[in-house]
Amino acid sequence: PQPPQPPQPPSPSSGGKEGSTKAQRKVAQAGQQERGRGEAPRHGVSSPPVPAAAAPNVAPPPLPPMRTSKLHDEIFAFAQASITRGEAAHAEVQGILASLRALVSSRWPQATVELYGSRATGLSLASSDVDVTLLGVPCGAGREAVGGALKELHALMEGQPWVASQKLVLSARIPVLKVATPSSIPIDITISDSAQHTGLLARDLVLGYLSEAPQLTPLVLVLKSFLRELGLNDPYTGGMSSYSLVVLLWLFVCESAHRGYNTTDLGYQLLGFFSMFLYRFDSQVTHVDDPLSPMITAPGEPRENIMHSCYQIGRVCRTFHRALQLLSPETPEWDDPATPLLPRLFSEASSANRATQTEATATTPPPAAARTPPSSGGSSAAASAPPLLCSGGATLLKRRVSATRSALLKCAYLLRFARAGLAGGGSGERALRRERAMSIRRASEQRPGAAHP
């Protein structure tokens, strides 16, 4: 609301009330003009509007450049070098795709060849495979129909100069034709015939993430290379898939921006992701919903878990904890320009990976032919013979055997319970309970000094 207007003297020409009305009208017009220019209205003073051409065009003073961390510069340089190394194989991949499209069109003219995965999103390393799917193949739905179409494609690709070897894997959840080129570029060819094949949806989702947060690209490339050095980048061996890594990084960047944290410095973003991962996944594997689940599942059904295959989550957490110690800003190497951080991280990861593999080999018992029997001459030969299992390993082995035995007994009990319930209803259940009590009694009688239940 406007403040009360000051009293205006009457106009000498028009007289009392009419002059006051004209003055108020002029003040209101001047206020409207000043508000249109973004100025505060000045009551009782009317000033002509300043034309646009006469307004001063003064640029704001330039902001000082923001100082980034040394780790930020190293991550950015590493990502640029990784992209440059991948460009060498890009031309070959495009040639292979052109040859494959011509081959598929000769057999199925209405079919198309689509590229997905890291090669399509720009997050590929030099050793990444090429994921290809065929659309519009008239083979019908079902595993057998898709397998038959892949067999036809396998026969068509025989003798091609860019094909070094082929392997059909029809027992997988999605049948795939694995191809290797003479330059050792792996190619996975599938047929998109059902909603289970989410490769193209995942490609479009990741491209949307990268357009919203471009800082994801260097972070993903560094973490993929780091996990590859440790052998933890393959979901088939319990590692983290590239898709789950991108989704987790996207969720972390969104949460950081929501809380007002810095999302431009890649060094602090990497450390923050390590901390978040350890906080969320250190105790046990947590369910992380697949963002594509609402598109492929019906309402009310449980959503897919992108971490379901990462059973080496404990090793991933230990590695990230060590990386957080090496890259901590509290270390003297953080601001030392003569000591790079990323090479140190990768060298420590490689040595830790070799130590883990050596420890796993050392704890494996040797074969029976290699074991040295104790000699009858004394304790010197027995002392020189290596122990088959340490005490901790033997205790762990006993626990696993006991757990396996308990699980087998429980399965047998449930199977007998189901059979008895189907055969005799309530009487079968009572008979099964009596049998269970008798088995417990017999087991306790076998142990000397055990009390009867």
Side-chain angles (χ1 to χ4, degrees), residues 413-430:
Y413 174 72
L414 293 176
L415 182 60
R416 290 199 301 271
F417 179 79
R419 289 177 178 175
L422 291 175
S427 61
E429 182 178 353
R430 288 192 296 271

Side-chain angles (χ1 to χ4, degrees), residues 49-302:
V50 180
N57 188 11
V58 179
L63 296 176
M66 186 180 64
R67 181 176 179 270
T68 57
S69 62
K70 183 182 71 172
L71 184 58
H72 169 91
D73 300 334
E74 293 184 11
I75 292 174
F76 192 78
F78 182 89
Q80 284 186 330
S82 178
I83 294 174
T84 303
R85 288 192 298 268
E87 289 177 354
H90 180 72
E92 183 179 357
V93 170
Q94 294 300 319
I96 291 173
L97 289 177
S99 302
L100 182 60
R101 289 189 177 100
L103 197 64
V104 170
S105 299
S106 64
R107 177 62 183 86
W108 302 290
Q110 69 277 17
T112 58
V113 178
E114 292 288 339
L115 180 68
Y116 67 98
S118 59
R119 293 280 182 179
T121 58
L123 300 176
S124 61
L125 303 177
S127 59
S128 298
D129 55 354
V130 181
D131 297 316
V132 177
T133 185
L134 308 183
L135 300 175
V137 177
C139 62
R143 182 181 297 272
E144 295 182 358
V146 172
L150 287 177
K151 289 179 181 178
E152 292 186 32
L153 183 61
H154 182 277
L156 287 175
M157 294 174 61
E158 289 288 347
Q160 294 293 324
W162 51 274
V163 177
S165 63
Q166 298 184 81
K167 182 181 179 182
L168 268 172
V169 184
L170 302 179
S171 60
R173 186 175 66 93
I174 297 177
V176 59
L177 173 61
K178 292 184 171 293
V179 182
T181 63
S183 58
S184 301
I185 296 180
I187 305 174
D188 292 343
I189 304 175
T190 56
I191 295 178
S192 181
D193 66 321
S194 64
Q196 292 183 348
H197 197 297
T198 59
L200 298 179
L201 294 176
R203 178 196 64 183
D204 297 339
L205 181 70
V206 171
L207 288 176
Y209 288 167
L210 297 180
S211 64
E212 293 289 336
Q215 66 267 32
L216 290 178
T217 299
L219 291 174
V220 171
L221 292 176
V222 168
L223 286 173
K224 282 182 65 174
S225 303
F226 182 56
L227 292 175
R228 185 191 61 179
E229 291 290 331
L230 298 167
L232 294 172
N233 63 327
D234 190 358
Y236 295 101
T237 58
M240 289 183 62
S241 63
S242 301
Y243 176 68
S244 62
L245 188 62
V246 172
V247 172
L248 289 174
L249 277 169
W250 164 255
L251 295 176
F252 169 71
V253 169
C254 291
E255 185 176 352
S256 300
H258 177 71
R259 294 178 180 272
Y261 297 148
N262 182 13
T263 59
T264 57
D265 194 295
L266 299 176
Y268 288 105
Q269 283 284 286
L270 182 63
L271 298 180
F273 177 74
F274 285 154
S275 302
M276 183 275 297
F277 195 92
L278 293 173
Y279 177 75
R280 301 282 173 85
F281 299 101
D282 200 4
S283 58
Q284 57 184 357
V285 178
T286 306
H287 185 102
V288 180
D289 288 337
D290 189 352
L292 298 176
S293 293
M295 306 178 186
I296 60 177
T297 58
E301 294 185 2

Side-chain angles (χ1 to χ4, degrees), residues 1-61:
Q2 299 291 338
Q5 303 290 339
Q8 300 291 334
S11 175
S13 60
S14 301
K17 187 175 180 181
E18 185 179 357
S20 176
T21 305
K22 289 183 178 180
Q24 291 177 0
R25 194 176 302 164
K26 288 183 179 181
V27 170
Q29 291 177 358
Q32 291 177 0
Q33 293 174 358
E34 290 170 350
R35 282 194 296 269
R37 295 195 304 269
E39 301 176 358
R42 293 172 295 179
H43 302 290
V45 180
S46 61
S47 58
V50 180
N57 188 11
V58 179

